[in-house]
Amino acid sequence: MAGPARGKVAVDVEECKGCGLCVESCPPKCLELSPELSHYGVHPARYTGHDCTGCGICFYCCPEPGAITVFRLAAPPKAAPVPVPAGGEHAPAL
Amino acid sequence: MAEQDVILEEPKTDKYEVVHSKSHLFYPEYERKSDLKHQTHYCPGCGHGVAHKLIAEALQELKLQDQTILVSPVGCSVFAYYYFDVGNVQVAHGRAPAAATGLKRACPDKIVIAYQGDGDLAAIGTAEIVHAANRGEKISVFFVNNAIYGMTGGQMAPTTLVGQRSTTSPWGRRPVNEGFPLHMAEMLSSLEAPVYIERVALSDNKNIMKARRAVRKALELQRDGAGFTFVEILSPCPTIWGKDPIEARKWVGEKMIPSFPLNVFRDKKIEIPNNNVPPHKTVEEIVEGERKVAREGMVHGRSHHFQHLGIKIAGFGGQGVLLLGQLLAEMGMREGLEVSWLPSYGPEMRSGSAHCHVCLSKDRIGSPVLSRPDVLIAMNEISLRKFASQIAPGGTIIYGRERLPDDLSIPNAQVVCIPASEIADKLGSAKVANVVMMGALLEETECLSSETAMKVLEAKVKNLALLELDRKALDAGRVYIDHTVAIGAVTQADGFAQ
Ligand SMILES: Cc1ncc(C[n+]2csc(CCOP(=O)(O)OP(=O)(O)O)c2C)c(N)n1
Ligand code: SF4
Ligand code: SF4
Ligand code: SF4
């Protein structure tokens, strides 16, 4: 894939319980369970770093309120880039 | 945030913006356990978490956070209040729709949500949900159906599938023994009032997004003042099902959906006619109104010759037995006494026998039941025979016939006979026989004053002709006793006049 991925994902290892639902659900399969254990003793999910489309599916499949944050590449700035509000706004998924 | 550790190859030149993140509806940290401030108490892969997220997101997007009251159940989701930063009430098992009814009626401008599991809603709380739905309460119910009792360790729920094992159906649910799974969405959609009923499933990406729309729609409808909205969410419980989270989610799709088909069962706004509205009064107005009545009705300065007086009134239903008791209790109240009135009547409203107990007391009343009444008002012979033996030694019996039956001797009590029905009939209506008896009671025992009696009657009887009849009946009862006592005709237990 040429250029940067359209999306990216951050996983909060404090919240992730390593259930694997996001890994299973991600259409381009760009999530995986980390081989290392978190301090809760689970293998937390992590982004492989490739191919995320920012679709948000992993966010909705994850049972934890804040384990996953999904980012999308901002449209190339026409005027000023839209600032990200604290806590995030939810774009419609799918 | 720790996410920075796990993002590889962050393209420095490109700008990313957050599109999905933890909702503001959730507290930033959970106070549940000091060492687990970032984690919910749910098992990995539990559907409750997804359901919570969908509700939180919808409330945030609809900007309803500050107006929302969440009623959480008993079940695994009992701790919902640790997560949702909204108004929270946690209620007894199965009672969420009843509590939500009260909340919504008291605060109609609030968004009231009942969040319930299948044990909560479809077992112990079946009555509450059916009647809340049937009344069309303007609440939203999110029903998380995981086909099992999660919190208590996996007992069979009403929604457990045929053949599904649980600790209480170890060989699988057998319809011949345990019945079939209860289909709550279908059941409720047989009612007229609900405006929106849908069943969704957290079985895969597509269905989760459908669930998201359903949750949002229910809340939108409530915001817009529509009626009862209900979303059943088929939800995985990996722990109790003994499956890993991914298998459990698949099981929802493969096993639960065939038994609980996904559908929009109801989607129409129904106007429930509301043309019989009682006058609206504030609590203050009502209390002040009562106080005013009490102030005006109080009869001051009367001293009573008893500390405690128990009166039993018995007769046929329809003879005004219960009403006479109520009148006496109200009179006692107006004379500053503690009172109680305890009716007892058979299943027949008009033709069986009826009796009631009235206590008048200067002290607080321990029990409203009289095993040894001081006074028995017996309107007919059957009641006299039945209850005469209960009378306290030295008590008084007022008998509503001219004389005692020949074969009856009543030791230890003073008996006064008065043909109340005949007297009432002569006055114009046998129905006021009870007031004649009241006159006799007041004259004979002087327990309460006849002025108070008239005050109470004036307050109760709006028809002036009837009130006049009551006044005459009261007087007639008093005069009859006055007269008979004067001529020495009060019957003693031994049959001799006093
Ligand atoms: C009056 C009462 N009866 C029984 C219980 C025990 N009890 C607690 S949770 C529960 C059932 C929970 O099942 P469900 O509603 O399906 O919720 P889940 O835990 O599966 O989310 C029961 C029977 C109780 N707490 N209170
Ligand atoms: S946003 Fe979509 S593509 Fe990106 S990790 Fe999540 S599921 Fe995969
Ligand atoms: S779905 Fe959520 S909790 Fe489960 S592994 Fe992915 S990030 Fe962790
Ligand atoms: S027992 Fe089941 S319903 Fe309860 S938290 Fe665990 S997975 Fe969820």
PDB file of all heavy atoms in Angstrom, chain A residues 4-5 10 15 17 25 59-60 62-64 70 72 74 87 89-91, chain B residues 3 14-17 19-21 38-40 42 49 53 57 209 249:
ATOM      1  N   PRO A   4       0.708   6.805   3.525  1.00  0.00           N
ATOM      2  CA  PRO A   4       0.318   6.457   4.883  1.00  0.00           C
ATOM      3  C   PRO A   4      -1.060   5.810   4.905  1.00  0.00           C
ATOM      4  O   PRO A   4      -1.898   6.093   4.046  1.00  0.00           O
ATOM      5  CB  PRO A   4       0.288   7.819   5.588  1.00  0.00           C
ATOM      6  CG  PRO A   4       0.047   8.805   4.497  1.00  0.00           C
ATOM      7  CD  PRO A   4       0.659   8.240   3.255  1.00  0.00           C
ATOM      8  N   ALA A   5      -1.292   4.960   5.915  1.00  0.00           N
ATOM      9  CA  ALA A   5      -2.607   4.317   6.060  1.00  0.00           C
ATOM     10  C   ALA A   5      -3.652   5.373   6.348  1.00  0.00           C
ATOM     11  O   ALA A   5      -3.363   6.393   6.975  1.00  0.00           O
ATOM     12  CB  ALA A   5      -2.553   3.303   7.189  1.00  0.00           C
ATOM     13  N   ALA A  10      -5.167   3.279  18.480  1.00  0.00           N
ATOM     14  CA  ALA A  10      -4.382   3.209  19.704  1.00  0.00           C
ATOM     15  C   ALA A  10      -5.124   2.339  20.711  1.00  0.00           C
ATOM     16  O   ALA A  10      -6.343   2.452  20.844  1.00  0.00           O
ATOM     17  CB  ALA A  10      -4.195   4.605  20.275  1.00  0.00           C
ATOM     18  N   GLU A  15      -6.852  -0.665  29.809  1.00  0.00           N
ATOM     19  CA  GLU A  15      -8.252  -1.076  29.684  1.00  0.00           C
ATOM     20  C   GLU A  15      -8.424  -2.391  28.962  1.00  0.00           C
ATOM     21  O   GLU A  15      -9.379  -3.115  29.195  1.00  0.00           O
ATOM     22  CB  GLU A  15      -9.065  -0.001  28.929  1.00  0.00           C
ATOM     23  CG  GLU A  15      -9.545   1.100  29.811  1.00  0.00           C
ATOM     24  CD  GLU A  15     -10.849   1.710  29.309  1.00  0.00           C
ATOM     25  OE1 GLU A  15     -11.730   0.976  28.826  1.00  0.00           O
ATOM     26  OE2 GLU A  15     -10.964   2.938  29.397  1.00  0.00           O
ATOM     27  N   LYS A  17      -8.624  -6.014  27.785  1.00  0.00           N
ATOM     28  CA  LYS A  17      -8.642  -7.293  28.506  1.00  0.00           C
ATOM     29  C   LYS A  17      -8.182  -8.444  27.624  1.00  0.00           C
ATOM     30  O   LYS A  17      -8.328  -9.617  27.996  1.00  0.00           O
ATOM     31  CB  LYS A  17     -10.047  -7.564  29.044  1.00  0.00           C
ATOM     32  CG  LYS A  17     -10.417  -6.625  30.188  1.00  0.00           C
ATOM     33  CD  LYS A  17     -11.830  -6.850  30.678  1.00  0.00           C
ATOM     34  CE  LYS A  17     -12.144  -5.871  31.802  1.00  0.00           C
ATOM     35  NZ  LYS A  17     -13.582  -5.684  31.968  1.00  0.00           N
ATOM     36  N   SER A  25     -12.364  -8.974  14.396  1.00  0.00           N
ATOM     37  CA  SER A  25     -13.326  -8.185  13.625  1.00  0.00           C
ATOM     38  C   SER A  25     -12.703  -7.304  12.558  1.00  0.00           C
ATOM     39  O   SER A  25     -13.380  -6.896  11.627  1.00  0.00           O
ATOM     40  CB  SER A  25     -14.121  -7.268  14.568  1.00  0.00           C
ATOM     41  OG  SER A  25     -14.619  -8.003  15.645  1.00  0.00           O
ATOM     42  N   PHE A  59     -13.621  -0.528  17.246  1.00  0.00           N
ATOM     43  CA  PHE A  59     -14.119   0.264  18.380  1.00  0.00           C
ATOM     44  C   PHE A  59     -15.465  -0.277  18.857  1.00  0.00           C
ATOM     45  O   PHE A  59     -15.705  -0.438  20.051  1.00  0.00           O
ATOM     46  CB  PHE A  59     -14.253   1.732  17.980  1.00  0.00           C
ATOM     47  CG  PHE A  59     -14.850   2.595  19.061  1.00  0.00           C
ATOM     48  CD1 PHE A  59     -14.054   3.083  20.083  1.00  0.00           C
ATOM     49  CD2 PHE A  59     -16.209   2.894  19.064  1.00  0.00           C
ATOM     50  CE1 PHE A  59     -14.599   3.861  21.100  1.00  0.00           C
ATOM     51  CE2 PHE A  59     -16.760   3.667  20.070  1.00  0.00           C
ATOM     52  CZ  PHE A  59     -15.955   4.152  21.092  1.00  0.00           C
ATOM     53  N   TYR A  60     -16.371  -0.565  17.917  1.00  0.00           N
ATOM     54  CA  TYR A  60     -17.706  -1.015  18.299  1.00  0.00           C
ATOM     55  C   TYR A  60     -17.733  -2.461  18.764  1.00  0.00           C
ATOM     56  O   TYR A  60     -18.641  -2.868  19.485  1.00  0.00           O
ATOM     57  CB  TYR A  60     -18.695  -0.796  17.150  1.00  0.00           C
ATOM     58  CG  TYR A  60     -18.969   0.672  16.963  1.00  0.00           C
ATOM     59  CD1 TYR A  60     -18.363   1.391  15.944  1.00  0.00           C
ATOM     60  CD2 TYR A  60     -19.788   1.352  17.864  1.00  0.00           C
ATOM     61  CE1 TYR A  60     -18.579   2.751  15.804  1.00  0.00           C
ATOM     62  CE2 TYR A  60     -20.003   2.711  17.730  1.00  0.00           C
ATOM     63  CZ  TYR A  60     -19.402   3.404  16.705  1.00  0.00           C
ATOM     64  OH  TYR A  60     -19.618   4.750  16.586  1.00  0.00           O
ATOM     65  N   CYS A  62     -15.314  -3.832  20.527  1.00  0.00           N
ATOM     66  CA  CYS A  62     -14.593  -3.929  21.797  1.00  0.00           C
ATOM     67  C   CYS A  62     -15.542  -3.617  22.951  1.00  0.00           C
ATOM     68  O   CYS A  62     -16.209  -2.589  22.948  1.00  0.00           O
ATOM     69  CB  CYS A  62     -13.439  -2.933  21.798  1.00  0.00           C
ATOM     70  SG  CYS A  62     -12.667  -2.802  23.417  1.00  0.00           S
ATOM     71  N   PRO A  63     -15.624  -4.484  23.951  1.00  0.00           N
ATOM     72  CA  PRO A  63     -16.537  -4.238  25.070  1.00  0.00           C
ATOM     73  C   PRO A  63     -16.039  -3.179  26.056  1.00  0.00           C
ATOM     74  O   PRO A  63     -16.805  -2.766  26.928  1.00  0.00           O
ATOM     75  CB  PRO A  63     -16.626  -5.593  25.783  1.00  0.00           C
ATOM     76  CG  PRO A  63     -15.997  -6.586  24.867  1.00  0.00           C
ATOM     77  CD  PRO A  63     -15.012  -5.827  24.038  1.00  0.00           C
ATOM     78  N   GLU A  64     -14.799  -2.776  25.952  1.00  0.00           N
ATOM     79  CA  GLU A  64     -14.270  -1.839  26.951  1.00  0.00           C
ATOM     80  C   GLU A  64     -14.491  -0.405  26.483  1.00  0.00           C
ATOM     81  O   GLU A  64     -14.194  -0.064  25.336  1.00  0.00           O
ATOM     82  CB  GLU A  64     -12.785  -2.097  27.176  1.00  0.00           C
ATOM     83  CG  GLU A  64     -12.476  -3.536  27.563  1.00  0.00           C
ATOM     84  CD  GLU A  64     -13.351  -4.058  28.700  1.00  0.00           C
ATOM     85  OE1 GLU A  64     -13.536  -3.331  29.697  1.00  0.00           O
ATOM     86  OE2 GLU A  64     -13.870  -5.193  28.589  1.00  0.00           O
ATOM     87  N   VAL A  70      -9.780   5.270  17.680  1.00  0.00           N
ATOM     88  CA  VAL A  70      -9.547   5.162  16.241  1.00  0.00           C
ATOM     89  C   VAL A  70      -9.297   6.556  15.669  1.00  0.00           C
ATOM     90  O   VAL A  70     -10.013   7.508  15.993  1.00  0.00           O
ATOM     91  CB  VAL A  70     -10.757   4.509  15.528  1.00  0.00           C
ATOM     92  CG1 VAL A  70     -10.523   4.424  14.025  1.00  0.00           C
ATOM     93  CG2 VAL A  70     -11.024   3.121  16.099  1.00  0.00           C
ATOM     94  N   ARG A  72      -8.422   8.885  12.056  1.00  0.00           N
ATOM     95  CA  ARG A  72      -8.479   8.866  10.594  1.00  0.00           C
ATOM     96  C   ARG A  72      -7.616  10.000  10.068  1.00  0.00           C
ATOM     97  O   ARG A  72      -7.538  11.067  10.693  1.00  0.00           O
ATOM     98  CB  ARG A  72      -9.914   9.045  10.126  1.00  0.00           C
ATOM     99  CG  ARG A  72     -10.374   7.926   9.221  1.00  0.00           C
ATOM    100  CD  ARG A  72     -11.814   8.121   8.833  1.00  0.00           C
ATOM    101  NE  ARG A  72     -12.686   7.157   9.506  1.00  0.00           N
ATOM    102  CZ  ARG A  72     -14.007   7.266   9.536  1.00  0.00           C
ATOM    103  NH1 ARG A  72     -14.600   8.301   8.975  1.00  0.00           N
ATOM    104  NH2 ARG A  72     -14.734   6.356  10.129  1.00  0.00           N
ATOM    105  N   ALA A  74      -6.656  13.106   8.378  1.00  0.00           N
ATOM    106  CA  ALA A  74      -7.463  14.279   8.078  1.00  0.00           C
ATOM    107  C   ALA A  74      -7.368  14.565   6.586  1.00  0.00           C
ATOM    108  O   ALA A  74      -6.330  14.345   5.961  1.00  0.00           O
ATOM    109  CB  ALA A  74      -6.961  15.468   8.883  1.00  0.00           C
ATOM    110  N   GLY A  87     -11.451  14.257  24.181  1.00  0.00           N
ATOM    111  CA  GLY A  87     -12.375  13.134  24.358  1.00  0.00           C
ATOM    112  C   GLY A  87     -12.885  12.596  23.043  1.00  0.00           C
ATOM    113  O   GLY A  87     -13.303  11.457  22.957  1.00  0.00           O
ATOM    114  N   GLU A  89     -14.872  13.209  19.050  1.00  0.00           N
ATOM    115  CA  GLU A  89     -16.211  13.159  18.503  1.00  0.00           C
ATOM    116  C   GLU A  89     -16.326  11.876  17.715  1.00  0.00           C
ATOM    117  O   GLU A  89     -15.346  11.376  17.168  1.00  0.00           O
ATOM    118  CB  GLU A  89     -16.433  14.357  17.559  1.00  0.00           C
ATOM    119  CG  GLU A  89     -16.695  15.653  18.293  1.00  0.00           C
ATOM    120  CD  GLU A  89     -17.948  15.585  19.164  1.00  0.00           C
ATOM    121  OE1 GLU A  89     -18.980  15.099  18.693  1.00  0.00           O
ATOM    122  OE2 GLU A  89     -17.857  15.991  20.331  1.00  0.00           O
ATOM    123  N   HIS A  90     -17.485  11.358  17.652  1.00  0.00           N
ATOM    124  CA  HIS A  90     -17.647  10.079  16.962  1.00  0.00           C
ATOM    125  C   HIS A  90     -18.164  10.292  15.555  1.00  0.00           C
ATOM    126  O   HIS A  90     -19.265  10.797  15.370  1.00  0.00           O
ATOM    127  CB  HIS A  90     -18.607   9.188  17.722  1.00  0.00           C
ATOM    128  CG  HIS A  90     -18.042   8.816  19.057  1.00  0.00           C
ATOM    129  ND1 HIS A  90     -18.811   8.342  20.061  1.00  0.00           N
ATOM    130  CD2 HIS A  90     -16.790   8.882  19.533  1.00  0.00           C
ATOM    131  CE1 HIS A  90     -18.042   8.127  21.119  1.00  0.00           C
ATOM    132  NE2 HIS A  90     -16.822   8.450  20.814  1.00  0.00           N
ATOM    133  N   ALA A  91     -17.383   9.887  14.592  1.00  0.00           N
ATOM    134  CA  ALA A  91     -17.861   9.918  13.215  1.00  0.00           C
ATOM    135  C   ALA A  91     -18.684   8.663  12.983  1.00  0.00           C
ATOM    136  O   ALA A  91     -18.478   7.652  13.630  1.00  0.00           O
ATOM    137  CB  ALA A  91     -16.685   9.950  12.265  1.00  0.00           C
TER     138      ALA A  91
ATOM    139  N   GLU B   3      -1.152   4.483  24.737  1.00  0.00           N
ATOM    140  CA  GLU B   3      -1.252   4.033  23.341  1.00  0.00           C
ATOM    141  C   GLU B   3       0.006   4.330  22.525  1.00  0.00           C
ATOM    142  O   GLU B   3       0.304   3.632  21.569  1.00  0.00           O
ATOM    143  CB  GLU B   3      -2.486   4.634  22.657  1.00  0.00           C
ATOM    144  CG  GLU B   3      -2.344   6.051  22.207  1.00  0.00           C
ATOM    145  CD  GLU B   3      -3.172   6.970  23.090  1.00  0.00           C
ATOM    146  OE1 GLU B   3      -3.550   6.530  24.196  1.00  0.00           O
ATOM    147  OE2 GLU B   3      -3.433   8.081  22.683  1.00  0.00           O
ATOM    148  N   ASP B  14       1.708  13.321   8.439  1.00  0.00           N
ATOM    149  CA  ASP B  14       0.279  13.347   8.192  1.00  0.00           C
ATOM    150  C   ASP B  14      -0.500  13.607   9.468  1.00  0.00           C
ATOM    151  O   ASP B  14      -0.105  13.198  10.544  1.00  0.00           O
ATOM    152  CB  ASP B  14      -0.158  12.016   7.587  1.00  0.00           C
ATOM    153  CG  ASP B  14       0.565  11.784   6.275  1.00  0.00           C
ATOM    154  OD1 ASP B  14       0.377  12.604   5.373  1.00  0.00           O
ATOM    155  OD2 ASP B  14       1.338  10.815   6.201  1.00  0.00           O
ATOM    156  N   LYS B  15      -1.615  14.272   9.301  1.00  0.00           N
ATOM    157  CA  LYS B  15      -2.425  14.612  10.470  1.00  0.00           C
ATOM    158  C   LYS B  15      -3.568  13.619  10.627  1.00  0.00           C
ATOM    159  O   LYS B  15      -4.364  13.404   9.711  1.00  0.00           O
ATOM    160  CB  LYS B  15      -2.997  16.020  10.278  1.00  0.00           C
ATOM    161  CG  LYS B  15      -2.170  17.067  10.978  1.00  0.00           C
ATOM    162  CD  LYS B  15      -3.079  18.149  11.536  1.00  0.00           C
ATOM    163  CE  LYS B  15      -2.798  18.727  12.888  1.00  0.00           C
ATOM    164  NZ  LYS B  15      -1.916  18.123  13.794  1.00  0.00           N
ATOM    165  N   TYR B  16      -3.635  13.023  11.804  1.00  0.00           N
ATOM    166  CA  TYR B  16      -4.738  12.111  12.093  1.00  0.00           C
ATOM    167  C   TYR B  16      -5.672  12.776  13.083  1.00  0.00           C
ATOM    168  O   TYR B  16      -5.238  13.511  13.960  1.00  0.00           O
ATOM    169  CB  TYR B  16      -4.206  10.810  12.699  1.00  0.00           C
ATOM    170  CG  TYR B  16      -3.589   9.884  11.673  1.00  0.00           C
ATOM    171  CD1 TYR B  16      -2.252   9.997  11.320  1.00  0.00           C
ATOM    172  CD2 TYR B  16      -4.372   8.893  11.076  1.00  0.00           C
ATOM    173  CE1 TYR B  16      -1.696   9.158  10.374  1.00  0.00           C
ATOM    174  CE2 TYR B  16      -3.814   8.037  10.141  1.00  0.00           C
ATOM    175  CZ  TYR B  16      -2.483   8.164   9.788  1.00  0.00           C
ATOM    176  OH  TYR B  16      -1.955   7.321   8.864  1.00  0.00           O
ATOM    177  N   GLU B  17      -6.943  12.514  12.905  1.00  0.00           N
ATOM    178  CA  GLU B  17      -7.872  13.020  13.921  1.00  0.00           C
ATOM    179  C   GLU B  17      -8.672  11.866  14.519  1.00  0.00           C
ATOM    180  O   GLU B  17      -8.934  10.855  13.862  1.00  0.00           O
ATOM    181  CB  GLU B  17      -8.785  14.096  13.345  1.00  0.00           C
ATOM    182  CG  GLU B  17      -9.491  13.678  12.081  1.00  0.00           C
ATOM    183  CD  GLU B  17     -10.150  14.869  11.373  1.00  0.00           C
ATOM    184  OE1 GLU B  17      -9.633  15.991  11.501  1.00  0.00           O
ATOM    185  OE2 GLU B  17     -11.163  14.657  10.705  1.00  0.00           O
ATOM    186  N   VAL B  19     -11.572   9.697  15.542  1.00  0.00           N
ATOM    187  CA  VAL B  19     -12.953   9.495  15.078  1.00  0.00           C
ATOM    188  C   VAL B  19     -13.781   8.648  16.051  1.00  0.00           C
ATOM    189  O   VAL B  19     -14.996   8.776  16.104  1.00  0.00           O
ATOM    190  CB  VAL B  19     -13.019   8.891  13.663  1.00  0.00           C
ATOM    191  CG1 VAL B  19     -12.741   9.956  12.623  1.00  0.00           C
ATOM    192  CG2 VAL B  19     -12.088   7.709  13.496  1.00  0.00           C
ATOM    193  N   HIS B  20     -13.125   7.779  16.791  1.00  0.00           N
ATOM    194  CA  HIS B  20     -13.873   7.006  17.799  1.00  0.00           C
ATOM    195  C   HIS B  20     -13.028   6.906  19.047  1.00  0.00           C
ATOM    196  O   HIS B  20     -11.888   6.458  18.984  1.00  0.00           O
ATOM    197  CB  HIS B  20     -14.158   5.588  17.305  1.00  0.00           C
ATOM    198  CG  HIS B  20     -14.971   5.546  16.052  1.00  0.00           C
ATOM    199  ND1 HIS B  20     -16.314   5.831  16.041  1.00  0.00           N
ATOM    200  CD2 HIS B  20     -14.630   5.266  14.782  1.00  0.00           C
ATOM    201  CE1 HIS B  20     -16.765   5.721  14.801  1.00  0.00           C
ATOM    202  NE2 HIS B  20     -15.763   5.392  14.016  1.00  0.00           N
ATOM    203  N   SER B  21     -13.618   7.324  20.168  1.00  0.00           N
ATOM    204  CA  SER B  21     -12.870   7.197  21.420  1.00  0.00           C
ATOM    205  C   SER B  21     -13.864   7.086  22.567  1.00  0.00           C
ATOM    206  O   SER B  21     -15.077   7.202  22.360  1.00  0.00           O
ATOM    207  CB  SER B  21     -11.969   8.412  21.620  1.00  0.00           C
ATOM    208  OG  SER B  21     -12.776   9.558  21.740  1.00  0.00           O
ATOM    209  N   HIS B  38      -9.429   1.712  35.685  1.00  0.00           N
ATOM    210  CA  HIS B  38      -9.577   1.831  34.241  1.00  0.00           C
ATOM    211  C   HIS B  38     -10.350   0.675  33.658  1.00  0.00           C
ATOM    212  O   HIS B  38     -10.555   0.616  32.463  1.00  0.00           O
ATOM    213  CB  HIS B  38      -8.198   1.910  33.587  1.00  0.00           C
ATOM    214  CG  HIS B  38      -7.416   3.070  34.090  1.00  0.00           C
ATOM    215  ND1 HIS B  38      -7.651   4.354  33.660  1.00  0.00           N
ATOM    216  CD2 HIS B  38      -6.451   3.151  35.023  1.00  0.00           C
ATOM    217  CE1 HIS B  38      -6.843   5.178  34.293  1.00  0.00           C
ATOM    218  NE2 HIS B  38      -6.105   4.471  35.138  1.00  0.00           N
ATOM    219  N   GLN B  39     -10.724  -0.279  34.503  1.00  0.00           N
ATOM    220  CA  GLN B  39     -11.365  -1.461  33.952  1.00  0.00           C
ATOM    221  C   GLN B  39     -12.781  -1.613  34.473  1.00  0.00           C
ATOM    222  O   GLN B  39     -13.047  -1.364  35.640  1.00  0.00           O
ATOM    223  CB  GLN B  39     -10.553  -2.705  34.340  1.00  0.00           C
ATOM    224  CG  GLN B  39      -9.180  -2.689  33.724  1.00  0.00           C
ATOM    225  CD  GLN B  39      -8.705  -4.082  33.364  1.00  0.00           C
ATOM    226  OE1 GLN B  39      -9.085  -5.055  33.994  1.00  0.00           O
ATOM    227  NE2 GLN B  39      -7.872  -4.175  32.355  1.00  0.00           N
ATOM    228  N   THR B  40     -13.666  -2.046  33.579  1.00  0.00           N
ATOM    229  CA  THR B  40     -14.996  -2.421  34.021  1.00  0.00           C
ATOM    230  C   THR B  40     -14.877  -3.766  34.736  1.00  0.00           C
ATOM    231  O   THR B  40     -13.859  -4.444  34.620  1.00  0.00           O
ATOM    232  CB  THR B  40     -15.952  -2.585  32.831  1.00  0.00           C
ATOM    233  OG1 THR B  40     -15.500  -3.677  32.027  1.00  0.00           O
ATOM    234  CG2 THR B  40     -16.002  -1.327  31.981  1.00  0.00           C
ATOM    235  N   TYR B  42     -16.655  -6.299  33.990  1.00  0.00           N
ATOM    236  CA  TYR B  42     -17.161  -7.357  33.109  1.00  0.00           C
ATOM    237  C   TYR B  42     -16.051  -8.293  32.649  1.00  0.00           C
ATOM    238  O   TYR B  42     -14.892  -7.892  32.518  1.00  0.00           O
ATOM    239  CB  TYR B  42     -17.851  -6.738  31.887  1.00  0.00           C
ATOM    240  CG  TYR B  42     -19.077  -5.948  32.261  1.00  0.00           C
ATOM    241  CD1 TYR B  42     -19.130  -4.572  32.067  1.00  0.00           C
ATOM    242  CD2 TYR B  42     -20.177  -6.575  32.826  1.00  0.00           C
ATOM    243  CE1 TYR B  42     -20.246  -3.840  32.430  1.00  0.00           C
ATOM    244  CE2 TYR B  42     -21.300  -5.855  33.193  1.00  0.00           C
ATOM    245  CZ  TYR B  42     -21.332  -4.485  33.001  1.00  0.00           C
ATOM    246  OH  TYR B  42     -22.443  -3.766  33.366  1.00  0.00           O
ATOM    247  N   GLY B  49     -20.537  -4.825  27.978  1.00  0.00           N
ATOM    248  CA  GLY B  49     -19.647  -3.707  27.668  1.00  0.00           C
ATOM    249  C   GLY B  49     -20.038  -3.046  26.353  1.00  0.00           C
ATOM    250  O   GLY B  49     -20.114  -1.811  26.256  1.00  0.00           O
ATOM    251  N   LYS B  53     -21.500   0.733  25.664  1.00  0.00           N
ATOM    252  CA  LYS B  53     -20.894   1.699  24.741  1.00  0.00           C
ATOM    253  C   LYS B  53     -21.924   2.261  23.774  1.00  0.00           C
ATOM    254  O   LYS B  53     -21.915   3.455  23.451  1.00  0.00           O
ATOM    255  CB  LYS B  53     -19.746   1.039  23.966  1.00  0.00           C
ATOM    256  CG  LYS B  53     -18.461   0.973  24.777  1.00  0.00           C
ATOM    257  CD  LYS B  53     -17.411   0.156  24.094  1.00  0.00           C
ATOM    258  CE  LYS B  53     -16.621   0.916  23.062  1.00  0.00           C
ATOM    259  NZ  LYS B  53     -15.453   0.134  22.586  1.00  0.00           N
ATOM    260  N   GLU B  57     -22.780   6.182  23.656  1.00  0.00           N
ATOM    261  CA  GLU B  57     -22.547   6.960  22.440  1.00  0.00           C
ATOM    262  C   GLU B  57     -23.829   7.666  21.993  1.00  0.00           C
ATOM    263  O   GLU B  57     -23.809   8.856  21.647  1.00  0.00           O
ATOM    264  CB  GLU B  57     -22.050   6.032  21.327  1.00  0.00           C
ATOM    265  CG  GLU B  57     -21.716   6.790  20.069  1.00  0.00           C
ATOM    266  CD  GLU B  57     -21.521   5.873  18.880  1.00  0.00           C
ATOM    267  OE1 GLU B  57     -22.477   5.156  18.503  1.00  0.00           O
ATOM    268  OE2 GLU B  57     -20.415   5.851  18.336  1.00  0.00           O
ATOM    269  N   MET B 209     -23.675  -2.912  14.414  1.00  0.00           N
ATOM    270  CA  MET B 209     -24.028  -1.596  13.897  1.00  0.00           C
ATOM    271  C   MET B 209     -25.547  -1.426  13.832  1.00  0.00           C
ATOM    272  O   MET B 209     -26.069  -0.326  14.033  1.00  0.00           O
ATOM    273  CB  MET B 209     -23.392  -1.360  12.519  1.00  0.00           C
ATOM    274  CG  MET B 209     -21.870  -1.398  12.523  1.00  0.00           C
ATOM    275  SD  MET B 209     -21.074  -0.656  13.984  1.00  0.00           S
ATOM    276  CE  MET B 209     -21.283   1.081  13.650  1.00  0.00           C
ATOM    277  N   ARG B 249     -19.295 -14.995  20.666  1.00  0.00           N
ATOM    278  CA  ARG B 249     -19.968 -14.069  19.772  1.00  0.00           C
ATOM    279  C   ARG B 249     -20.572 -14.813  18.587  1.00  0.00           C
ATOM    280  O   ARG B 249     -21.685 -14.525  18.153  1.00  0.00           O
ATOM    281  CB  ARG B 249     -18.970 -13.003  19.304  1.00  0.00           C
ATOM    282  CG  ARG B 249     -19.644 -11.750  18.859  1.00  0.00           C
ATOM    283  CD  ARG B 249     -18.673 -10.659  18.571  1.00  0.00           C
ATOM    284  NE  ARG B 249     -17.895 -10.943  17.370  1.00  0.00           N
ATOM    285  CZ  ARG B 249     -17.238 -10.009  16.697  1.00  0.00           C
ATOM    286  NH1 ARG B 249     -17.248  -8.758  17.136  1.00  0.00           N
ATOM    287  NH2 ARG B 249     -16.551 -10.310  15.627  1.00  0.00           N
TER     288      ARG B 249
END
